[in-house]
Amino acid sequence: MELEPPPPPVEPPSTCPDQSTASDPTEDDRTETKPFLSQTEILKALEVVERDSSAIAESYGSLFASLRLALSEVTSSSVDHMQCFSDAAGRLQESVLDASTKGNRYINSCLRLNEEMKGVDSLATQLKLLRRNVDALDSAVNKLLRLP
């Protein structure tokens, strides 16, 4: 849509009194009286203003539609990113809980093994004593069997 060039600027009618207070008569000759605009000129100017206003309104409408679309895309992208972040955070939370559970099981197994190992010292002492007794018995049996 092409815009027509605006009409030449219209100066408002002068508010000076009709009679000049200047003492120099040549000054009155330099002052020109501007004619009033006719009704058709005013209507033409209003048409131009109306067309320009319509073009500006269309331009603003297009701009706002474009901005609305861009905002919608950005919002959609932000929602997608937040959903992705939420999914990743959920999976991380599940992994952390799983690792924590396995870590607790490992710690509990170590504590049980530690408790069971406390009894190993007394068992080792009993095994040493039993070995001495078996060795003594073996040696006594060998002495008895070697008798002539």
Side-chain angles (χ1 to χ4, degrees):
M1 167 188 244
E2 288 191 26
L3 300 177
E4 293 181 14
V10 178
E11 294 184 19
S14 174
T15 56
C16 294
D18 288 340
Q19 295 178 358
S20 174
T21 57
S23 57
D24 187 8
T26 57
E27 217 173 284
D28 286 339
D29 292 339
R30 281 186 264 147
T31 309
E32 294 180 21
T33 57
K34 306 261 181 192
F36 288 102
L37 292 176
S38 68
Q39 189 174 7
T40 57
E41 290 173 333
I42 293 173
L43 287 176
K44 285 181 184 178
L46 284 175
E47 286 176 12
V48 169
V49 168
E50 185 179 357
R51 268 182 285 165
D52 289 349
S53 299
S54 177
I56 290 170
E58 278 185 44
S59 178
Y60 274 126
S62 174
L63 174 67
F64 287 133
S66 175
L67 288 174
R68 189 178 311 118
L69 178 64
L71 181 62
S72 175
E73 289 173 357
V74 167
T75 303
S76 174
S77 178
S78 295
V79 167
D80 291 343
H81 285 103
M82 290 304 294
Q83 184 64 39
C84 181
F85 175 77
S86 177
D87 291 345
R91 289 185 186 130
L92 179 64
Q93 182 181 12
E94 289 173 9
S95 297
V96 167
L97 286 173
D98 186 46
S100 176
T101 301
K102 289 178 180 177
N104 282 336
R105 285 184 195 153
Y106 177 74
I107 289 170
N108 288 334
S109 296
C110 288
L111 290 173
R112 274 194 309 269
L113 182 60
N114 193 32
E115 285 297 317
E116 291 174 7
M117 293 301 284
K118 286 180 182 176
V120 170
D121 287 338
S122 64
L123 183 60
T125 305
Q126 289 175 356
L127 284 174
K128 287 179 186 176
L129 182 62
L130 184 60
R131 182 170 186 130
R132 274 189 234 141
N133 289 339
V134 167
D135 287 344
L137 180 62
D138 186 40
S139 141
V141 168
N142 283 336
K143 282 182 187 178
L144 286 176
L145 290 178
R146 286 191 195 166
L147 284 175

